[in-house]
Amino acid sequence: MTLTFRRPDDLRDALPLLLEQVESVPRAELLVVDNDEEPTARAVVEEYAGRPVRYVHEPRPGIAAARNRGLDEAAGSEVVVFVDDDERPCEDWLRTLLATFRKTGCTGVVGPVLSVFDGPVDPWIVAGGYFTRLRHPTGTVVRVAATNNLLLDARAVRTWGLRFDEQFGLSGGSDTVFALELAARGGRLVWSDEAAVLDVVPPSRATRSWVVRRAFRMGNTGSRAAVHVRRSVVARTGVRLTTAARGLVRVLGGGARWGWGCVARDLRSQARGARTAVRGAGMLLGAFGYVYAEYARTSAPARRLLRTGS
């Protein structure tokens, strides 16, 4: 399935590629979950009528609500696969995910996401590794995963009653909480390095301000998720203190590296130091409950006021 929110051009580009993958697998279907307040993506999906694609509209705001709607719509399925609407699958992506799932007997399969850009990228962003993601040998067990390239055993998810926590719907991180909850129940996520997708990065995201905000958000949601999944006050307190300490170390160490980079005119040290410090700040604040709502939305009435100038 793919979730979409006001990206008709991305969706129109992704659908034929995703459908090609779906049509290579017996009894597979592509589900598009539109998370806009109005069903703005319906017309795009209807362009592919007659092919194995189904559209549903989930107006409740937040990506967690859309993910949960997808799980509900996939009731009865053996597996469910999540991929973003701005990603493009590589050759045999879906069949490779399925092959790894069947071979390993795992609860979920995670594939790599490789960023591609429309134009030149700021050398500072490249030096900081802001769009560089970790990769692992196929078969490696991983602890957490995002839903931008993820296969799940839908039967296990239903048996355990797992859901995406909607407290993280507008901040991001519900997929991290989901993965931690899955692991707590004995689930196992396995890496499949050949099942790659390409992440198309628009110019609006290839900026210093955007990547710094994203680094802060990743630190913030990561620490909040780690606290959230603990069941007792004692356990939560321990995680808060540990995560806050780790965040503070990152702030100090990253800040020192950034300062040295400025003095030495070392672009790599500047960029990586900033990334470490900002992520550490997100961890530190998240440990004590601060929520950075990256996906907060302007209400429809407010948008109308902005358009009319009232």
Side-chain angles (χ1 to χ4, degrees):
M1 78 177 70
T2 187
L3 315 181
T4 190
F5 177 71
R6 299 180 191 164
R7 292 201 288 213
D9 293 336
D10 277 323
L11 184 62
R12 189 172 281 109
D13 288 343
L15 282 175
L17 300 176
L18 293 173
L19 282 168
E20 182 180 351
Q21 300 273 337
V22 167
E23 289 169 340
S24 71
V25 176
R27 302 184 303 279
E29 174 190 60
L30 175 60
L31 177 68
V32 178
V33 182
D34 183 358
N35 197 213
D36 200 355
E37 294 168 349
E38 301 296 329
T40 51
R42 185 189 300 276
V44 177
V45 179
E46 287 177 346
E47 295 174 14
Y48 297 88
R51 299 182 72 178
V53 58
R54 183 160 58 96
Y55 170 89
V56 295
H57 178 221
E58 178 48 70
R60 290 182 301 146
I63 193 168
R67 288 167 176 158
N68 285 331
R69 177 65 181 276
L71 291 179
D72 293 339
E73 294 290 333
S77 299
E78 176 186 357
V79 299
V80 60
V81 178
F82 287 92
V83 63
D84 287 352
D85 62 353
D86 58 351
E87 291 173 349
R88 310 293 177 258
C90 295
E91 186 176 1
D92 286 333
W93 160 74
L94 182 55
R95 287 192 292 187
T96 303
L97 286 176
L98 290 166
T100 304
F101 173 67
R102 290 164 182 154
K103 180 179 180 180
T104 62
C106 60
T107 318
V109 182
V110 187
V113 178
L114 312 176
S115 295
V116 294
F117 303 88
D118 290 335
V121 184
D122 185 338
W124 187 89
I125 293 175
V126 176
Y130 283 92
F131 287 98
T132 302
R133 300 173 173 92
L134 287 175
R135 297 183 70 170
H136 313 277
T138 295
T140 302
V141 175
V142 295
R143 185 166 176 263
V144 295
T147 56
N148 47 7
N149 187 5
L150 175 66
L151 177 151
L152 291 170
D153 183 339
R155 295 166 301 184
V157 170
R158 289 191 294 271
T159 298
W160 291 330
L162 288 174
R163 306 286 287 176
F164 291 94
D165 195 313
E166 297 187 21
Q167 293 184 54
F168 289 77
L170 296 178
S171 65
S174 65
D175 44 3
T176 301
V177 173
F178 186 96
L180 293 173
E181 295 280 12
L182 183 147
R185 288 163 173 78
R188 189 164 56 100
L189 296 173
V190 171
W191 186 265
S192 181
D193 202 54
E194 296 76 24
V197 297
L198 303 179
D199 174 35
V200 181
V201 181
S204 60
R205 292 188 177 188
T207 65
R208 295 190 187 191
S209 61
W210 190 91
V211 298
V212 166
R213 290 196 305 271
R214 174 53 63 94
F216 179 88
R217 197 273 283 177
M218 295 297 289
N220 184 252
T221 57
S223 63
R224 288 175 52 229
V227 172
H228 183 78
V229 298
R230 298 309 192 276
R231 300 307 179 200
S232 71
V233 173
V234 172
R236 288 191 175 194
T237 301
V239 172
R240 285 187 198 279
L241 295 175
T242 301
T243 306
R246 289 172 56 212
L248 180 59
V249 168
R250 284 174 174 260
V251 169
L252 297 176
R257 186 175 185 182
W258 172 82
W260 165 252
C262 292
V263 172
R265 298 185 179 180
D266 182 339
L267 192 66
R268 180 182 173 88
S269 293
Q270 291 177 33
R272 289 188 176 264
R275 179 184 179 184
T276 300
V278 171
R279 185 165 184 143
M283 292 172 62
L284 179 59
L285 293 174
F288 294 103
Y290 175 79
V291 179
Y292 176 58
E294 181 178 10
Y295 302 110
R297 302 182 186 179
T298 304
S299 66
R303 287 199 303 274
R304 284 195 291 271
L305 286 172
L306 288 171
R307 284 198 297 267
T308 60
S310 301

